[in-house]
């Protein structure tokens, strides 16, 4: 039975078309995916991301523990900073990718993918042996809104006296008030745009949604669903777990090399990942554009030189660029921009060319 | 939902406009709403011989790939090539500029198996399955 977020009724009120996603009932769209995509790129969009999981890590060994379970260097973090990191198995395959929030040297919050909450929780607990840390799964007690787009800061400024304008990308305010409710605000997101994510109590979520919509509507804010969340992150070439990352795909293969730090010391997967960094991985995630008509989709075969050289991980029409693009895991020799490949669509080889990633980058970033 | 009275409808959500022995086929307003933003259409080729119930076109929205089935048997005599550049016409004018193909019918008796507008509206209102 799929779960409802605290905003389920709100989505129905706003005309959300509900689908099941990772065990949750969430809106795929309200007005239309392309219109919502454009709203986020040009003005702002408001997403319900309450399905995401939250796990706190506290205790004297919190840092040492996190250094073991994730691939990025957590020791580099300051208080109130956010860090993106993959989390790997000993064989280098990916357990999940997550955001780490540092409240203090012994106090962290991990934000994990909704579909992976149970798996991650087990993995995190199993890895806790020998460390003086206390883990708590706060997923059910935390709701989350994502306000994304160039107008996001102006909208936030209408709702809070907190210094959101000074908040740097990947930094957070641990305790702010938005419209009188206590929230944690981070300057993070998954769209390639500027934006904020608001973590709140479930009982405050609907009130905050309405308040943000009221403040933002005059500035072009639109409610935004999972459909455009995917097309937005795809244009920005942000990985999606289960597509660009999985137990079979390492973060080095996914091109996330700057989030893998063997120099920090031992961690799960280090030998495999360090070797991949050193020699270069055998397979790589590459971006491509179809040069003939068609839409590439996940799982479609990628062909070159008369044989299969990889698989599409995400493919879609890219609304901002008005092109049919994709990402694929291919043999490393074929991952260079300019390389001619083909994607097998309904039994037919459709010509494509490897292009640089990301496909979309906002100005000034 | 606005389904023209003069058309016939299939349970696969295609509409049919009959003129003499020729039938223009497209997808219904209900179907285009279900699909969402259409970004690609693969139209059949002129001259293709088709059998009722056979897949003869593909319509892709941002999130989904949908096979389109011909409700009638015959030969494809015209296709809407404009959909190559403006697939969104399926959303904007499903019963007009969003038409997909014209079929020269080989068995007009198959029209009897299709629904009228009222019958289709009832079918779609019940979920369309």
């Amino acid at each position: 039975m799929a779960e409802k977020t605290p905003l389920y009724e709100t989505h129905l009120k706003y005309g959300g078309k509900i689908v099941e996603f990772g065990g949750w009932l969430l809106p795929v769209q309200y007005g239309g995916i392309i219109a919502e995509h454009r709203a986020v790129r040009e003005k702002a969009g408001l997403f319900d991301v309450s399905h995401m999981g939250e796990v706190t890590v506290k205790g004297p060994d919190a840092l040492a523990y996190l250094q073991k379970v994730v691939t990025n260097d957590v020791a580099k973090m300051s208080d109130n900073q956010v860090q993106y990191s993959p989390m790997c198995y000993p064989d280098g395959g990916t357990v999940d990718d997550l955001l780490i929030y540092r409240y203090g040297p012994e106090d962290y919050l991990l934000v994990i993918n909704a579909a992976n909450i149970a798996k991650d929780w087990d993995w995190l607990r199993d890895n806790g042996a020998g460390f003086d840390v206390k883990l708590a799964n706060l997923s059910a007690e935390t709701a989350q809104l994502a306000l994304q787009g160039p107008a996001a800061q102006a909208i936030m400024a209408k709702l809070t006296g907190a210094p959101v304008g000074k908040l740097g990308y990947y930094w957070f305010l641990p305790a702010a008030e938005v419209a009188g409710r206590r929230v944690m605000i981070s300057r993070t997101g998954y769209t390639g745009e500027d934006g904020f994510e608001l973590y709140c109590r479930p009982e405050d979520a609907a009130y905050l949604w309405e308040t943000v919509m009221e403040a933002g509507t005059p500035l072009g804010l639109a409610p935004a669903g999972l459909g455009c969340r995917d097309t937005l992150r795809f244009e920005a070439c942000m990985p999606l777990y289960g597509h660009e990352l999985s137990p079979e795909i390492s973060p080095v293969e996914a091109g996330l090399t700057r989030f893998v730090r063997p120099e920090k010391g031992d961690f799960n997967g280090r030998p495999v990942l360090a070797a991949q960094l050193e020699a270069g991985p055998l397979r790589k995630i590459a971006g491509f554009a179809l040069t003939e008509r068609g839409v590439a989709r996940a799982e479609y075969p990628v062909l070159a030189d008369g044989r299969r050289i990889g698989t599409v991980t995400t493919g879609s029409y890219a609304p901002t660029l008005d092109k049919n693009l994709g990402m694929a895991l291919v043999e490393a020799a074929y991952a260079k921009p300019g390389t001619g490949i083909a994607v097998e669509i309904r039994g037919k080889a459709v010509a494509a060319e490897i292009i640089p990633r990301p496909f979309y980058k906002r100005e000034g970033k | 939902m606005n389904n023209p009275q003069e058309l016939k409808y299939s349970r696969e959500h295609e509409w049919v406009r009959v003129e003499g022995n020729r039938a223009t086929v497209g997808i219904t307003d209900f179907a285009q709403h279900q699909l969402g933003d259409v970004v690609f259409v693969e139209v059949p080729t002129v001259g293709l011989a088709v059998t009722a119930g056979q897949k003869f076109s593909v319509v892709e929205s941002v999130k989904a790939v949908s096979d389109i089935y011909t409700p009638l048997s015959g030969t494809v005599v015209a296709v809407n090539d404009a959909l190559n550049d403006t697939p969104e016409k399926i959303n904007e004018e499903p019963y007009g500029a969003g038409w997909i193909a014209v079929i020269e019918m080989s068995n007009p008796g198959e029209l009897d198996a299709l629904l009228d507008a009222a019958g289709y509206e009832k079918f779609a209102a019940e979920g369309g399955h």
Side-chain angles (χ1 to χ4, degrees), chain A residues 19-283:
Chain A
V19 295
E20 191 181 330
F21 173 82
W24 293 83
L25 293 171
L26 285 161
V28 62
Q29 63 173 61
Y30 301 83
I33 293 175
I34 293 177
E36 290 163 32
H37 182 107
R38 298 221 162 98
V40 175
R41 288 272 182 260
E42 292 161 18
K43 303 283 171 58
L46 184 61
F47 298 85
D48 174 15
V49 281
S50 301
H51 57 305
M52 301 291 284
E54 290 83 13
V55 173
T56 55
V57 179
K58 297 181 187 200
D61 289 345
L63 175 61
Y65 164 77
L66 287 173
Q67 289 289 59
K68 185 203 164 192
V69 295
V70 306
T71 63
N72 207 341
D73 189 355
V74 184
K76 292 242 164 71
M77 294 181 73
S78 304
D79 290 355
N80 300 341
Q81 197 174 8
V82 187
Q83 187 184 70
Y84 171 80
S85 182
M87 174 163 78
C88 285
Y89 293 108
D91 69 359
T94 313
V95 182
D96 201 2
D97 59 339
L98 45 91
L99 290 183
I100 303 165
Y101 287 72
R102 176 173 145 143
Y103 286 92
E106 298 184 5
D107 189 358
Y108 299 84
L109 172 74
L110 311 181
V111 180
I112 59 182
N113 281 304
N116 291 341
I117 294 174
K119 176 184 84 171
D120 286 6
W121 176 242
D122 288 345
W123 180 254
L124 288 165
R125 269 197 316 192
D126 292 348
N127 274 271
F131 291 99
D132 188 0
V133 289
K134 216 172 159 176
L135 304 175
N137 182 354
L138 303 186
S139 303
E141 298 150 48
T142 314
Q144 191 188 346
L145 309 183
L147 173 63
Q148 300 280 299
Q153 185 180 313
I155 295 166
M156 284 300 293
K158 290 172 77 173
L159 295 166
T160 180
V164 287
K166 289 184 188 145
L167 194 60
Y169 190 55
Y170 270 65
W171 290 81
F172 70 102
L173 299 169
E177 262 194 15
V178 171
R181 306 296 160 104
R182 194 180 160 93
V183 297
M184 187 263 270
I185 305 174
S186 60
R187 198 155 202 160
T188 50
Y190 192 52
T191 59
E193 295 304 323
D194 184 21
F196 299 89
E197 294 183 294
L198 313 183
Y199 295 78
C200 64
R201 299 187 306 169
E203 54 269 40
D204 290 337
Y207 172 80
L208 284 167
W209 175 281
E210 297 287 0
T211 313
V212 174
M213 279 308 303
E214 200 176 310
T217 302
L219 296 171
L221 176 67
L226 291 172
C228 78
R229 190 169 164 81
D230 192 48
T231 53
L232 289 158
R233 73 91 200 163
F234 165 64
E235 283 184 341
C237 288
M238 293 170 158
L240 173 62
Y241 191 83
H243 291 251
E244 284 72 40
L245 286 171
S246 74
E248 284 76 44
I249 306 175
S250 86
V252 177
E253 292 171 323
L256 303 170
T257 52
R258 67 194 172 97
F259 308 106
V260 179
R261 296 292 182 181
E263 70 277 10
K264 74 173 180 172
D266 191 35
F267 57 89
N268 290 339
R270 181 178 185 269
V272 178
L273 298 171
Q276 287 180 354
L277 283 171
E278 177 80 17
L282 298 175
R283 309 174 303 169

Side-chain angles (χ1 to χ4, degrees), chain B residues 59-122:
Chain B
V59 173
E60 300 204 34
S61 66
V62 179
K63 296 307 290 176
V65 183
S66 299
D67 291 332
I68 308 301
Y69 302 89
T70 171
L72 301 164
S73 303
T75 305
V76 175
V77 291
V79 295
N80 186 2
D81 282 326
L83 294 175
N84 289 346
D85 296 322
T86 53
E88 65 274 14
K89 287 292 175 200
I90 295 242
N91 296 117
E92 293 165 0
E93 300 175 54
Y95 299 115
W99 67 278
I100 291 172
V102 178
I103 293 167
E104 179 90 41
M105 290 183 281
S106 59
N107 182 5
E110 288 169 349
L111 290 167
D112 297 340
L114 300 178
L115 301 164
D116 62 12
Y120 177 68
E121 265 160 44
K122 187 164 175 283

Side-chain angles (χ1 to χ4, degrees), chain A residues 283-294:
Chain A
R283 309 174 303 169
K284 271 185 192 171
I285 296 284
F288 65 84
L290 291 179
T291 49
E292 290 181 311
R293 296 188 68 242

